Amino acid sequence: MTKVKSPVWTAVMVLFIVIIMLLGAFWVIRAVQHSGDQSDVAVVGNESISEQAWISELKKRYGQETLTQMMNRRVVQLEADARHITVSDTEIQDDLAERMSGYASPQAFYKEMQTQFGLTPEDLQQESKYQIQLEKIATERIEVSDAQVDNYLQQHAQETKQHQYDLAWIEADTEQAAEEAVQRIESGEDFAAVAQAMSVDSFSSGKGGALGWIDGDDPFQPPEVIKVLPQMQAGDIMGPLALSTGHYAVVQVKDIRTPSSSKLQISRETARRKVALNQAEPLTEIEQQLRSKYDAHILSAAP
């Protein structure tokens, strides 16, 4: 039986992904600002892109979000210290195990975090500590019964881990265009080349339609695409699929990760916190309240 994840847990996972992305931007900005070298970093034809232009673009796109997240980390630590909130190694390992449960192995998880975001295992442990501190602040005054904890642990033990799919797609605005894409692929053209030429999805078309690794229950992918994935094998192409947006899709499963069959074990302390999260205020509101409490704000001179 597959356990349906609560909206709160989905929001927590989304928040983690956003934090990871912002941390990646932050480390890039910090590295280039402290390099002391303002030389060119790229060349396009006869024109160069300077390091300063790169920094400016990063700050424009991610500057405010990154500063806000840095302030969040400071105020959460201040509040945790004030409330004498501690985080155990067991809780951190539970949190990391939950995050890597969709991967074939812990090594695969750490490799992807390093490749995609430049984050080391130590960085991820620090991020888990921050997340747990925030959750404990949000749930400190919420009472949870032993029966609720027992029920959560029982459901958790029955939870089916999702497969992951290395997915690519071609999004077309008409069924005719999608059928043309299928015909070109069936005639021997490379899927990535057809996606680059025909897909109307600006995010993925430049990458040959690649969407990267997604979970089998990814809420951010079209449900019409998610629905057909269990029917597909690595290398399969399916389409056209009618989407609720009125567009059509041709999808390719490049590879599949089969999750480990071992059951994920978590501590009662972690289970109690997860149950309490269903009754807590949104974590973004807690962060906002703490920024206000500790008078954390971005100065006007900042981006």
Side-chain angles (χ1 to χ4, degrees):
M1 179 178 69
T2 300
K3 178 182 171 232
V4 178
K5 290 183 170 63
S6 70
V8 171
W9 178 241
T10 299
V12 169
M13 293 305 295
V14 171
L15 177 63
F16 175 74
I17 293 169
V18 170
I19 289 171
I20 290 292
M21 293 176 66
L22 292 177
L23 279 174
F26 165 68
W27 288 116
V28 171
I29 293 171
R30 196 178 79 159
V32 298
Q33 284 184 320
H34 288 80
S35 67
D37 181 5
Q38 296 299 314
S39 61
D40 295 337
V41 294
V43 176
V44 181
N46 295 324
E47 297 183 3
S48 61
I49 299 174
S50 70
E51 189 171 76
Q52 187 56 53
W54 182 31
I55 294 171
S56 297
E57 185 66 19
L58 285 169
K59 291 177 72 175
K60 181 174 70 175
R61 289 179 178 268
Y62 307 110
Q64 185 163 344
E65 292 87 350
T66 302
L67 278 175
T68 299
Q69 187 54 36
M70 292 172 68
M71 291 190 297
N72 286 342
R73 294 171 74 87
R74 298 281 182 90
V75 298
V76 165
Q77 185 62 59
L78 288 171
E79 188 69 6
D81 291 343
R83 299 192 191 189
H84 305 291
I85 289 174
T86 60
V87 177
S88 68
D89 290 341
T90 298
E91 290 175 301
I92 291 175
Q93 292 309 310
D94 283 350
D95 186 69
L96 289 174
E98 187 86 47
R99 303 188 196 286
M100 65 179 66
S101 61
Y103 291 80
S105 67
Q107 292 76 16
F109 168 76
Y110 286 122
K111 181 179 180 180
E112 182 149 329
M113 291 299 102
Q114 178 69 55
T115 302
Q116 295 293 325
F117 306 108
L119 296 174
T120 66
E122 290 74 21
D123 295 330
L124 292 165
Q125 288 177 3
Q126 287 300 311
E127 193 51 50
S128 285
K129 180 181 178 181
Y130 164 75
Q131 184 69 27
I132 295 167
Q133 286 176 325
L134 179 59
E135 291 177 2
K136 284 190 170 187
I137 292 168
T139 61
E140 188 177 36
R141 295 178 176 85
I142 296 175
E143 294 186 4
V144 175
S145 69
D146 288 340
Q148 287 175 298
V149 174
D150 291 339
N151 184 57
Y152 181 90
L153 288 170
Q154 183 178 7
Q155 289 182 328
H156 199 75
Q158 295 173 344
E159 187 172 307
T160 301
K161 297 179 182 179
Q162 291 290 329
H163 286 71
Q164 285 194 322
Y165 301 86
D166 188 5
L167 193 66
W169 81 331
I170 298 168
E171 183 181 7
D173 50 12
T174 67
E175 185 175 11
Q176 182 179 359
E179 289 176 346
E180 180 185 345
V182 171
Q183 291 172 2
R184 289 176 61 171
I185 295 166
E186 289 178 345
S187 297
E189 290 191 51
D190 181 62
F191 186 99
V194 176
Q196 192 164 11
M198 297 190 63
S199 181
V200 298
D201 176 24
S202 59
F203 172 79
S204 64
S205 60
K207 300 182 290 185
L211 296 174
W213 288 97
I214 69 165
D215 291 336
D217 61 352
D218 191 328
F220 299 103
Q221 300 301 327
E224 299 84 4
V225 172
I226 294 296
K227 183 178 179 180
V228 302
L229 292 180
Q231 309 168 29
M232 302 178 68
Q233 303 294 322
D236 284 355
I237 295 172
M238 185 175 291
L241 303 175
L243 306 177
S244 59
T245 59
H247 284 189
Y248 292 81
V250 180
V251 297
Q252 178 191 46
V253 172
K254 299 161 70 174
D255 199 2
I256 300 175
R257 286 176 178 156
T258 302
S260 168
S261 61
S262 60
K263 295 296 182 182
L264 183 63
Q265 302 295 323
I266 63 171
S267 67
R268 291 187 67 84
E269 187 174 6
T270 295
R272 188 176 300 275
R273 191 178 75 253
K274 296 303 182 185
V275 172
L277 276 174
N278 287 308
Q279 306 172 48
E281 293 181 77
L283 298 181
T284 52
E285 290 186 14
I286 299 296
E287 290 172 323
Q288 185 176 13
Q289 293 169 15
L290 292 177
R291 292 199 304 270
S292 178
K293 176 179 179 178
Y294 289 101
D295 191 26
H297 58 277
I298 296 175
L299 300 176
S300 58

